[in-house]
Amino acid sequence: MPTRTHQSAAGRVNTRIDNTVRTWMSHIHVDRGIGRMLVLLVIAFALFAVLNPRVFMNPLNLQNIMVSAPEVGILAIAMTLAMLTGGIDLSLVSIANLTAITISTMYTGLVASDPALAESLGGVIVLVGVAVGVLAGLINAFLISTVGITPILATLATMQIFNGIAIVWTGGKTLYGAPQALSAVGKSTVAGVPVLFLLFLVVAIMIGLLVNRTPFGRKTQLQGANPTAARFSGIQSASVLYGTYLTTGLLGGLAGVLFITRNPTASADYGTSYVLLVIVIAVLGGTNPMGGFATVTGVVLATLVLQVVQSGFNAIRLSSYEYSIAQGVILIGVMVFDQLRFRRRSRYVASTQTRNIASMSNVGEDAEEAPDTAGADAVETK
Amino acid sequence: MTLAKRMKSLAPRLIGANNEGVLAVIIVVLVIVMSVLSPSFFTVHTLFSIVRSALVPSILAIAVLLVIISGGIDVSFAAIAIFAAYTTVHLAYTGQFDPGIIGILLFACAIGAVLGLVNGAVIARFRLPTLIVTLATQGIFRGILLVYIGSRYIAQLPDSMAGLSTANLIAIESSRSYLPLLVVPVAVIVLIVAWMLRRTMFGRGIYAIGGDTEAARRAGFPVMRFQIILYMMVGAIAAIGGLIHVILNRNANPQDIVGTELDVIAAVVLGGASIFGGRGSVLGTVLGVVLVQLINNSLLLMGVPTAWQRAAVGILLVVGVGIQALSARRASRRTFVLDTVEA
């Protein structure tokens, strides 16, 4: 931008203020996403606390919310990662079930021959289960990145395949049995806070750091915001997609471990209602389904909001179908709200762009300070 | 024109714009292989039972095809289908009256169109991702149906519907093979939609929107209005699919159909419709449905447990879409090379 050096002082101040204001605006936007969820959380909590305080404010109920939030929350964070690159991962719940089934099968198999060995190998069994999740993620990554299938269809198909394998494996029955150590972790608390919830926070912080503080995170954001621009700026979309879907597979596997930690059973059709729920949480938490924008904090808060709403619906005796209506309405409402706000914002950006171009080509400023007439001519002829 | 040249010009027409020819060849090969493997396969009985099982998926697939051509993807059609059909039967049952098959059809289509309008209005007005919107409306429609309308299985259909369920177009008593009369309305709808897509401005508009929405807008198509009409039409077609399902099963179960979305979408995509919009044909879709039903039927005959069917459809989808994606990638690479040569 050669003309910038020739700008008048007023023009420079103008540009600088403009940039500062726009940076502020972008911060306010993020904060509003998180702030909105905080407000919703408080409102939802207060509403159900007033409607049925005896059931809802019971410490057991509150602990239940904190125990059930992690499995949904980790799946939602995985979904957020996929959406960040402009994709989606519908196979997450199937991956989690496959992991849970692997753990349960291996454990019950070992217990039959040697119970003591089965207990001591608990950690290995869990690792193998998580590895199954990562392998499933690798299959997704291969189909999406190497073969080039759209994420929706690829994961719709793998969801069906993983689910089919799980049905064949279990014969459609529920498996019982999990390493005792897992159940012990599932029941333990630190200062009244369930360990599972603390684990969830650790995972959330790690993924948050991955997205916001690492080159990989920056690349996923660029890839989602504009794949073509990402390609021309030298980002290897293949490695970004592989990294993303391997991570979602890993998180799916972790969610599977949580399934079996909370309840020592595994089946092919556990948590089928989570597919919609997890998308709702991701979008509610401020993730742009078109890609490029997401906050893990928002997703964690959205998870809590929906868990509070669900447990509140239970407390005031509404059915799970009414909860699914509420989910759908909330999802569409938030997307419509975001879309309306996004349109306003894009109009704002468009106007600042015209102003920037105007200031760069010194339109309306002192013409004598613009010796670069060729550039000014080019702008004028456009 | 030499024979070789004529063959060359004939080949693309036989293959078809959306690989319909390839699909037909796969179906023929599969039928031959199955007939060799199991003598009981190549009978009129099998043919009729495959046609019967393909009726509802065909109608639903036609509805999904319209959405996919326009560049979207719909997962709420199954919820709309059962919502419309169950509500109609439920009203007739609780009110103890029978408006006749035409009345039932119109009522169900009206409900389907209203639900479709909800989808269309949200998608067209706010330009939101169709998958997520329809996932949300699927939850809403299903929830409303089960909470406010009814969750009970109704075994007694109105007489006009019950009568249709036993009506056959062709009945061969000796081999107990029956071709239901409902083949006729399904064929009529398939032909009407095929005609609409090829011959009307609305049909061209759907392809244009799917190809490039902005280009369609600038070419003068009223995009928003077309999208809303499209989703209403899809809702009405899905409602007919739901009615046919209820009639064939001779009962109305509000838990039915939901869960078969993937089989239908897989059939449409196998039939050559591009998930990015702008491409797809009715013939290909029907062939895709037939292929999925044929494979389900063959697996059953070969003694493969039904549990594998789910995985089989998933694998079929991966293979079908994978070939499409790889060939699209190769085509784009070819254009790229040509460009550099010319430059």
Side-chain angles (χ1 to χ4, degrees):
Chain A
M1 280 172 263
T3 48
R4 177 157 286 184
T5 47
H6 303 295
Q7 268 179 14
S8 66
R12 264 195 305 269
V13 170
N14 183 38
T15 321
R16 199 193 287 161
I17 291 178
D18 190 50
N19 283 339
T20 320
V21 169
R22 273 198 294 156
T23 321
W24 281 352
M25 288 301 285
S26 66
H27 282 309
I28 290 168
H29 168 68
V30 176
D31 292 345
R32 246 168 70 184
I34 294 168
R36 180 177 72 194
M37 289 327 298
L38 269 178
V39 170
L40 269 181
L41 185 59
V42 171
I43 292 176
F45 201 89
L47 180 72
F48 293 112
V50 168
L51 283 177
N52 192 343
R54 203 172 44 80
V55 176
F56 185 77
M57 290 305 285
N58 191 319
L60 207 65
N61 185 51
L62 297 182
Q63 245 180 22
N64 245 335
I65 293 176
M66 284 196 278
V67 169
S68 52
E71 55 186 56
V72 174
I74 285 183
L75 289 174
I77 290 175
M79 184 64 84
T80 304
L81 273 182
M83 282 186 170
L84 193 55
T85 58
I88 198 164
D89 192 344
L90 299 173
S91 66
L92 281 170
V93 175
S94 312
I95 293 178
N97 279 329
L98 218 47
T99 296
I101 290 169
T102 310
I103 294 174
S104 187
T105 319
M106 283 182 67
Y107 176 75
T108 44
L110 275 173
V111 160
S113 55
D114 187 353
L117 182 70
E119 267 327 309
S120 60
L121 282 181
V124 179
I125 293 175
V126 168
L127 278 183
V128 172
V130 173
V132 167
V134 174
L135 182 69
L138 181 67
I139 293 172
N140 279 337
F142 173 77
L143 291 176
I144 292 166
S145 179
T146 309
V147 183
I149 303 179
T150 2
I152 295 180
L153 279 182
T155 55
L156 201 63
T158 53
M159 167 179 94
Q160 208 73 355
I161 294 173
F162 299 153
N163 190 241
I165 292 173
I167 293 176
V168 174
W169 189 341
T170 60
K173 288 192 283 283
T174 304
L175 304 179
Y176 293 91
Q180 312 259 305
L182 276 185
S183 311
V185 172
K187 286 194 188 94
S188 56
T189 56
V190 173
V193 179
V195 172
L196 288 183
F197 191 73
L198 297 175
L199 273 176
F200 169 50
L201 291 184
V202 169
V203 170
I205 290 169
M206 282 170 66
I207 299 293
L209 289 178
L210 180 74
V211 171
N212 292 320
R213 293 277 182 275
T214 63
F216 172 75
R218 182 54 47 147
K219 283 179 194 165
T220 52
Q221 288 177 357
L222 283 172
Q223 169 75 22
N226 189 338
T228 315
R231 187 154 52 88
F232 282 114
S233 38
I235 289 173
Q236 295 281 324
S237 82
S239 71
V240 169
L241 290 179
Y242 265 91
T244 305
Y245 286 94
L246 279 176
T247 316
T248 61
L250 171 72
L251 292 174
L254 274 182
V257 176
L258 292 183
F259 282 5
I260 206 161
T261 304
R262 199 156 77 92
N263 197 356
T265 59
S267 76
D269 54 356
Y270 181 76
T272 40
S273 63
Y274 286 177
V275 181
L276 171 62
L277 177 65
V278 161
I279 294 175
V280 176
I281 293 175
V283 175
L284 200 60
T287 310
N288 181 352
M290 307 288 195
F293 186 82
T295 66
V296 176
T297 318
V299 173
V300 171
L301 288 171
T303 308
L304 290 177
V305 169
L306 282 187
Q307 286 300 321
V308 165
V309 171
Q310 187 188 17
S311 124
F313 266 48
N314 273 336
I316 58 173
R317 298 197 173 280
L318 290 175
S319 74
S320 63
Y321 296 117
E322 278 157 312
Y323 178 53
S324 100
I325 299 177
Q327 273 176 31
V329 171
I330 293 175
L331 179 55
I332 290 183
V334 168
M335 281 202 302
V336 166
F337 181 75
D338 272 353
Q339 187 70 11
L340 291 177
R341 206 181 56 192
F342 180 72
R343 278 193 195 168
R344 268 209 308 280
R345 201 164 35 137
S346 63
R347 216 172 289 149
Y348 167 77
V349 170
S351 69
T352 55
Q353 267 169 358
T354 22
R355 250 188 294 138
N356 280 351
I357 290 168
S359 67
M360 271 195 274
S361 56
N362 293 347
V363 175
E365 286 176 23
D366 203 345
E368 284 166 1
E369 288 194 4
D372 191 1
T373 43
D377 275 345
V379 171
E380 272 165 18
T381 47
K382 262 182 193 170
Chain B
M1 199 185 259
T2 61
L3 187 68
K5 258 189 183 167
R6 198 173 295 171
M7 290 293 285
K8 227 177 200 174
S9 71
L10 197 63
R13 278 178 63 193
L14 277 183
I15 291 173
N18 302 310
N19 297 331
E20 289 94 344
V22 177
L23 217 52
V25 169
I26 294 175
I27 291 176
V28 170
V29 169
L30 197 63
V31 167
I32 293 174
V33 170
M34 281 308 298
S35 310
V36 172
L37 287 179
S38 135
S40 64
F41 179 79
F42 198 73
T43 56
V44 179
H45 184 83
T46 315
L47 174 69
F48 282 3
S49 71
I50 289 179
V51 169
R52 191 187 154 96
S53 64
L55 285 181
V56 177
S58 302
I59 290 279
L60 296 177
I62 292 291
V64 173
L65 172 71
L66 291 174
V67 177
I68 287 185
I69 290 178
S70 80
I73 190 164
D74 188 339
V75 291
S76 70
F77 64 91
I80 294 182
I82 199 63
F83 191 113
Y86 182 82
T87 308
T88 313
V89 173
H90 182 78
L91 281 180
Y93 178 73
T94 49
Q96 288 300 329
F97 76 106
D98 184 356
I101 193 68
I102 300 291
I104 286 177
L105 186 68
L106 288 178
F107 189 75
C109 282
I111 295 178
V114 168
L115 299 185
L117 175 66
V118 174
N119 277 340
V122 174
I123 289 168
R125 173 74 182 77
F126 300 105
R127 287 187 233 158
L128 296 174
T130 51
L131 173 78
I132 297 176
V133 170
T134 53
L135 259 177
T137 53
Q138 178 201 40
I140 297 174
F141 296 158
R142 195 167 142 74
I144 291 177
L145 174 68
L146 291 166
V147 175
Y148 301 108
I149 293 169
S151 52
R152 234 186 275 143
Y153 169 96
I154 300 177
Q156 196 196 348
L157 295 185
D159 291 339
S160 57
M161 286 174 83
L164 255 185
S165 67
T166 49
N168 289 316
L169 190 63
I170 304 173
I172 303 172
E173 296 293 342
S174 59
S175 61
R176 306 179 61 79
S177 319
Y178 306 101
L179 190 65
L181 186 63
L182 288 170
V183 170
V184 177
V186 173
V188 168
I189 290 170
V190 167
L191 291 176
I192 289 178
V193 172
W195 171 80
M196 188 197 78
L197 281 176
R198 293 181 74 109
R199 297 268 178 254
T200 66
M201 215 50 196
F202 181 68
R204 309 285 359 154
I206 296 176
Y207 278 102
I209 293 170
D212 186 333
T213 314
E214 195 49 45
R217 194 187 316 279
R218 295 192 184 176
F221 286 110
V223 172
M224 201 191 289
R225 198 195 318 151
F226 270 21
Q227 274 180 326
I228 291 178
I229 296 175
L230 173 77
Y231 280 95
M232 289 178 73
M233 193 183 277
V234 167
I237 296 176
I240 298 175
L243 268 189
I244 292 178
H245 172 88
V246 165
I247 293 174
L248 283 178
N249 278 20
R250 291 174 209 177
N251 64 58
N253 182 352
Q255 308 279 3
D256 270 2
I257 306 186
V258 177
T260 63
E261 293 92 352
L262 183 88
D263 290 17
V264 175
I265 294 173
V268 174
V269 174
L270 280 177
S274 162
I275 199 72
F276 300 112
R279 271 186 50 201
S281 73
V282 170
L283 177 64
T285 301
V286 172
L287 289 175
V289 171
V290 170
L291 181 62
V292 169
Q293 294 302 325
L294 197 63
I295 284 176
N296 279 348
N297 209 301
S298 316
L299 288 178
L300 220 63
L301 264 180
M302 289 192 292
V304 178
T306 43
W308 278 108
Q309 276 186 14
R310 226 179 147 74
V313 173
I315 291 169
L316 200 65
L317 186 64
V318 166
V319 173
V321 184
I323 290 171
Q324 220 184 65
L326 284 178
S327 67
R329 179 171 288 194
R330 208 171 322 127
S332 75
R333 204 169 291 154
R334 213 165 353 177
T335 5
F336 179 68
V337 171
L338 277 180
D339 279 357
T340 47
V341 167
E342 277 168 12

